[in-house]
Amino acid sequence: MVAFVLSSGVGLGKGGSVSRCGLDRTSLWFGASVVGRRARADECRGASNGKRQVSMNAKTALVAIGNGSEEIEATTIADTLVRAGVEVTIASVEDELVCTMSRGVKIMADEMIGNCKDIDYDLIALPGGMPGAERLRDSETLKNMLIKQEAGNKMIGAICAAPAVVLAHHGLLDERNATCYPSPAFMEKLPKNIDDDEVPVVYDGNVMTSRYVLRDRDPRLEV
């Protein structure tokens, strides 16, 4: 399990002080510029065959994106994970690798989501942004990967609109405390929402949710 601690939040089953709602105050968020990801890829390339060399012990993460995904959230998630030594794959749920993000920035994914469906990841992470979160929600392949991730008790992370639009829609937040972008339209989709500016990140079991990206910076890494 890999996570990047960035802010105080709510968690379950972790050590730390207890908040007023009786939950753990330790929060974890993970979170790569594409430049950082490419730089690490270059460092890992084998001199003889030009292929990327992946450590046998490296943690792995998939960051799913689609047209309309929030570019800062997507790249920050990927960059932070890469800097933590995680092998990150950015996967497009569209019909092509290049996705036009919520502010018009174009990002080229590493893989199509269909090429990732049979790979086991330590973490699947979902950025927010609209209509990007809806594009993630509507991907049948990603849905099946999330269900498999949950069944294996492996880490799932979502930020901004994604907890409400993707995870709640697929029933992955039933009986779980969670947060999301602080809009009533999103918050009301969460069965057990934590709507508190003092708690921007919520950790419940193997699922982490966050209101926004990098509200506070507290670069401690948990593996």
Side-chain angles (χ1 to χ4, degrees), residues 42-54:
D42 289 341
E43 292 171 4
C44 296
R45 291 186 193 282
S48 60
N49 57 20
K51 293 183 179 180
R52 185 172 179 177
Q53 304 301 307
V54 179

Side-chain angles (χ1 to χ4, degrees), residues 60-218:
T60 59
L62 179 133
V63 179
I65 62 172
N67 291 330
S69 291
E70 217 291 333
E71 45 266 77
I72 291 178
E73 293 168 3
T75 56
T76 299
I77 291 169
D79 185 64
T80 306
L81 286 167
V82 166
R83 292 169 189 270
V86 179
E87 296 293 339
V88 176
T89 299
I90 296 178
S92 168
V93 302
E94 304 297 341
D95 294 329
E96 58 182 339
L97 288 175
V98 177
C99 294
T100 302
M101 309 300 270
S102 63
R103 300 301 184 271
V105 174
K106 295 183 184 298
I107 291 181
M108 177 178 287
D110 299 305
E111 295 284 353
M112 305 295 293
I113 193 70
N115 295 335
C116 304
K117 63 182 180 180
D118 296 322
I119 300 173
D120 292 327
Y121 294 95
D122 294 298
L123 165 71
I124 295 179
L126 311 178
M130 293 291 281
E134 294 174 332
R135 302 295 294 168
L136 301 185
R137 176 197 66 197
D138 295 341
S139 168
E140 190 69 17
T141 300
L142 179 58
K143 171 188 172 182
N144 291 335
M145 292 178 70
L146 289 167
I147 292 173
K148 178 183 176 183
Q149 194 83 350
E150 167 69 2
N153 199 37
K154 291 191 171 183
M155 190 67 66
I156 296 172
I159 190 171
C160 192
V165 176
V166 185
L167 299 188
H169 180 81
H170 294 320
L172 297 171
L173 296 180
D174 294 350
E175 303 304 318
R176 274 199 171 96
N177 293 280
T179 193
C180 66
Y181 184 79
S183 161
F186 291 144
M187 280 290 177
E188 67 185 15
K189 296 179 185 293
L190 305 182
K192 299 176 69 175
N193 71 64
I194 305 294
D195 188 3
D196 187 343
D197 281 336
E198 300 276 324
V199 185
V201 181
V202 176
Y203 180 102
D204 193 336
N206 61 308
V207 177
M208 292 183 289
T209 54
S210 177
R211 291 161 76 89
Y212 355 77
V213 71
L214 298 179
R215 175 177 172 176
D216 301 309
R217 295 166 188 259
D218 185 3

